[in-house]
Amino acid sequence: MEGRFSSLRAVIFDFDGTLAALNIDFLHMRQVVMDHLDAYRVPTASLKDLYILEMIDEGQKIVGNRHPETGLRYLREAKQLIQEIEIKAAREGGLIEGTREMLHELRRRKIKAGVITRNCRAAIEQLFPDIKTAMDIVLTRDHITRVKPDPEHLRQALQWLQAQPEQAAMIGDHPMDVRLGLDVGAMAIGVLTGSSDRQKLEAAGAEMILSKAADIVRHLP
């Protein structure tokens, strides 16, 4: 493990629960999306176990098969509904302790830093207005077609940073982030500042678990 830190060239972070405390009520967001599907007479039984963004996409396909223009209207409305929830949470949230100092230290050590998130650009910039100057790359769902857990989200970030997976770490609070790092071949690190406990992160295969993302600097050579 220490050998991997010595070759580290890039660190990719999740955002919600990893760098920032947003306190998004995902149960409420899910219900809002379900209610919106009901308004368009979309059967939700087969969609209820999907992640929220995937639920919206599947809803758009169903509505769009009936009428393409109606499908596009449904999609615009659904995205607006969840964006409003995300931006409200961003206004009430804040960066987790030590985040700015950690990013400064990574830059001082010439280790590139990036964010990949399923959140929207507007919410990220609401909470962290200068994120584009603090990070080398920020890929929200508005910047990419295939969002995590699709490995392409992380691969695109690494490509922008010109870093190979074995030179990178993926840090996040959710088993999705851990599995994504492993799938791509990066070091997979979990943090305890978000939605998952140690047991869930270990079950996902986390190679290291930190109390918070900023603790990564303690392991750098």
Side-chain angles (χ1 to χ4, degrees):
M1 179 64 72
E2 294 304 321
R4 296 192 72 178
F5 278 111
S6 65
S7 62
L8 196 64
R9 297 293 178 268
V11 182
I12 309 299
F13 300 93
D14 169 53
F15 193 74
D16 305 6
T18 300
L19 297 182
L22 291 188
N23 299 317
I24 295 174
D25 186 342
F26 285 105
L27 289 178
H28 169 63
M29 183 185 286
R30 179 175 289 275
Q31 188 58 54
V32 167
V33 171
M34 296 282 281
D35 291 345
H36 189 237
L37 287 165
D38 285 339
Y40 276 84
R41 302 177 184 270
V42 175
T44 57
S46 63
L47 307 181
K48 62 184 178 63
D49 293 328
L50 296 176
Y51 289 124
I52 291 171
L53 295 181
E54 285 73 12
M55 188 188 301
I56 290 172
D57 287 343
E58 287 302 310
Q60 191 271 330
K61 291 176 185 177
I62 294 169
V63 177
N65 281 339
R66 300 173 188 159
H67 195 288
E69 289 186 7
T70 305
L72 292 175
R73 184 175 73 243
Y74 157 83
L75 185 61
R76 287 194 302 270
E77 292 172 354
K79 287 183 176 181
Q80 182 64 31
L81 287 169
I82 64 170
Q83 180 170 303
E84 288 172 358
I85 295 171
E86 291 165 334
I87 291 175
K88 181 178 184 294
R91 291 195 189 105
E92 299 170 355
L95 292 178
I96 292 169
E97 179 185 4
T99 293
R100 286 188 179 276
E101 294 82 359
M102 176 263 296
L103 293 174
H104 177 78
E105 181 62 16
L106 290 177
R107 180 154 291 178
R108 188 186 72 81
R109 290 171 177 260
K110 302 188 185 309
I111 297 174
K112 295 178 180 179
V115 160
I116 60 172
T117 177
R118 290 164 61 91
N119 207 331
C120 66
R121 178 187 58 80
I124 302 304
E125 293 180 355
Q126 171 73 40
L127 191 150
F128 195 167
D130 56 332
I131 190 170
K132 290 183 179 179
T133 59
M135 294 285 187
D136 296 288
I137 184 67
V138 178
L139 290 180
T140 73
R141 69 166 180 264
D142 300 319
H143 297 110
I144 194 164
T145 302
R146 295 160 63 182
V147 298
K148 62 177 183 172
D150 193 305
E152 188 63 19
H153 202 166
L154 178 53
R155 290 191 183 116
Q156 283 290 323
L158 293 176
Q159 183 176 337
W160 273 91
L161 297 177
Q162 298 182 322
Q164 297 301 313
E166 59 271 18
Q167 300 173 313
M170 176 69 216
I171 301 182
D173 72 302
H174 195 281
M176 176 197 298
D177 301 307
V178 171
R179 290 191 290 266
L180 177 61
L182 294 173
D183 287 346
V184 172
M187 192 185 333
I189 300 176
V191 291
L192 299 174
T193 47
S195 61
S196 302
D197 58 22
R198 182 177 295 274
Q199 184 175 4
K200 289 180 180 178
L201 295 170
E202 287 178 346
E207 299 171 81
M208 175 179 285
I209 298 176
L210 303 173
S211 294
K212 59 180 182 298
D215 291 345
I216 187 71
V217 298
R218 299 178 184 176
H219 299 273
L220 299 176

